[in-house]
Amino acid sequence: MSEQNIYILGIESSCDDTAAAVIHNGKILSNVIANQKIHEAYGGVVPELASRAHQQNIVPVVSQALTKANITKNQLHAIAFTRGPGLMGSLLVGTSFAKSLAYGLNIPLVDVNHMQAHILAHFIDEEGFNKPPFPFIGMTISGGHTQIVKVSSFFDMEVIGETIDDAVGEAFDKSGKILGLGYPAGPIIDKLAKLGNPKKFQFTKPKVDGLNFSFSGLKTAILYFIQTETKANPNFIEENLNDICASIQYTIIEILIDKLKLATKKTGIKHIAIGGGVSANSGIRQALKDGEHKFGWTTYVPKFEFTTDNAAMIAIVGYLKFLDNTFANQSVTASARLKI
Ligand code: KG4
Ligand code: ZN
């Protein structure tokens, strides 16, 4: 078997997206995601419903990934799957499916840490996207995670900062809920913020030592602010929505950029690679780019479809671990709190 001709199936089911992707060497041939719309009605992910939807979606999603890649399951060299962290009921579906498929096909199984995968998504071969050189700082920002990681090599990663309460995406989503916006609110706030004045309202930034984050205080500050203002003027939100969104987004960006500045200072590393759904935010992208001139760092943002939860990032880790001969055996179990 030539190293130049390896097909790996990646399976991701850690939260509310059922995803499967096929990678051929380092290049993605298919990247299929079934989003679970059902959670929108609840304003957040309902674990029990997520698990049930994964069971319904997993077979069609995997089969579509193989069809789109134009291969059959018999051409696969390994099955990679998300072992954790995530929701146990969701992880169990992908884990059990991957184990059964690998067993049935008699091919190796590769367990993947979802947080490592968000970072290693940068190593997918994709035209127009540069891969960060080691060592670099990885920052994963999404609805479930906020982490700063020192990445010394593919499998040598150290978490140097993380949130002690809410994730940054939750800060967007919960603020949006207070303002009566839809779910997820991040993209809506991003859009409205473009039309508003980011300095109109000030919110106190949390004081958290070192490289850790806290976002729950900001959410409470926004809630009290809105309650006070709407008491005085019931139309306060609609009259100021763009400015409120711009000011919230501005505060969140400042929090993230402050920590990145500290991370580059502490580590001496100037390459920054971001991932996770919140990295789609136009204000954050702009602030990172501005930082290239202001602070002398270089930033890397993967293709959008590889930043949100997806299976292509699981497949690339599967490929890298395959080359490294690191496999799981059939006794592997899902781990909701798996650490990097
Ligand atoms: O990575 P992702 O799709 O799923 C996980 O949470 O793992 O991230 C979803 C999060 C949500 O909180 C959503 O509001 C946020 O990413 N998001 C954004 C934007 N697009 C998605 N937040 C701010 N600005 C955006 N443009
Ligand atoms: Zn994720």
Side-chain angles (χ1 to χ4, degrees):
M1 176 172 51
S2 146
E3 277 198 358
Q4 292 317 305
N5 205 19
I6 293 161
Y7 291 95
I8 290 175
L9 173 71
I11 295 173
E12 153 65 31
S13 73
S14 66
C15 190
D16 61 336
D17 297 311
T18 319
V22 175
I23 195 164
H24 177 227
N25 301 333
K27 229 177 157 47
I28 295 297
L29 298 183
S30 63
N31 187 27
V32 178
I33 300 187
N35 299 113
Q36 300 180 2
K37 290 274 170 238
I38 187 153
H39 306 285
E40 282 173 15
Y42 298 88
V45 177
V46 184
E48 175 69 23
L49 297 179
S51 167
R52 273 190 246 170
H54 282 307
Q55 293 210 46
Q56 288 169 350
N57 293 340
I58 192 120
V59 170
V61 164
V62 166
S63 122
Q64 215 183 325
L66 291 170
T67 308
K68 279 197 173 167
N70 205 17
I71 63 162
T72 70
K73 59 184 185 309
N74 297 316
Q75 286 171 268
L76 293 170
H77 293 92
I79 310 289
F81 69 98
T82 304
R83 183 179 172 217
L87 301 170
M88 185 46 96
S90 292
L91 290 167
L92 277 174
V93 178
T95 303
S96 307
F97 185 89
K99 284 168 71 170
S100 313
L101 188 57
Y103 187 73
L105 294 171
N106 196 22
I107 56 176
L109 188 61
V110 185
D111 61 317
V112 175
N113 180 308
H114 180 93
M115 298 309 296
Q116 285 194 348
H118 267 301
I119 290 168
L120 295 177
H122 286 272
F123 293 92
I124 292 171
D125 281 339
E126 188 66 40
E127 225 169 282
F129 291 83
N130 295 329
K131 296 171 183 164
F134 296 114
F136 65 89
I137 304 270
M139 184 171 76
T140 307
I141 43 177
S142 75
H145 346 281
T146 306
Q147 253 185 9
I148 301 184
V149 182
K150 182 180 163 194
V151 188
S152 301
S153 68
F154 289 135
F155 304 114
D156 181 0
M157 297 188 192
E158 184 195 350
V159 178
I160 54 175
E162 61 190 331
T163 183
I164 58 170
D165 42 54
D166 289 351
V168 61
E170 285 181 281
F172 276 104
D173 295 338
K174 290 179 177 176
S175 304
K177 203 168 181 179
I178 296 167
L179 298 172
L181 305 175
Y183 172 86
I188 305 171
I189 292 181
D190 188 1
K191 207 168 134 203
L192 300 175
K194 286 186 184 133
L195 309 168
N197 173 3
K199 305 234 170 112
K200 178 81 179 279
F201 306 109
Q202 274 82 45
F203 302 106
T204 322
K205 286 191 276 175
K207 291 186 179 55
V208 191
D209 282 346
L211 295 172
N212 284 342
F213 297 92
S214 165
F215 286 102
S216 71
L218 178 64
K219 168 195 67 193
T220 314
I222 292 165
L223 177 66
Y224 288 161
F225 167 74
I226 294 295
Q227 281 176 345
T228 308
E229 295 295 336
T230 47
K231 221 175 258 171
N233 170 13
N235 298 325
F236 178 76
I237 294 180
E238 50 195 83
E239 284 171 11
N240 296 279
L241 189 57
N242 296 341
D243 291 339
I244 301 170
C245 288
S247 302
I248 292 172
Q249 183 167 302
Y250 179 79
T251 311
I252 292 175
I253 294 172
E254 286 242 295
I255 295 170
L256 295 174
I257 297 293
D258 282 353
K259 293 293 178 176
L260 279 180
K261 271 158 63 182
L262 187 59
T264 54
K265 194 172 157 208
K266 278 191 166 187
T267 60
I269 299 169
K270 294 262 182 176
H271 293 278
I272 298 173
I274 64 164
V278 179
S279 65
N281 185 273
S282 57
I284 292 171
R285 285 174 177 237
Q286 190 57 49
L288 286 168
K289 267 270 155 268
D290 293 347
E292 298 200 343
H293 310 292
K294 278 201 242 168
F295 316 122
W297 61 35
T298 313
T299 55
Y300 303 81
V301 188
K303 196 176 175 190
F304 180 68
E305 64 178 289
F306 305 145
T307 64
T308 56
D309 282 353
N310 67 87
M313 68 183 194
I314 306 303
I316 182 70
V317 182
Y319 175 61
L320 294 170
K321 282 187 142 184
F322 186 93
L323 295 182
D324 196 48
N325 267 310
T326 311
F327 300 108
N329 62 39
Q330 282 286 333
S331 63
V332 67
T333 54
S335 174
R337 295 183 179 276
L338 191 65
K339 299 267 181 244
I340 272 191

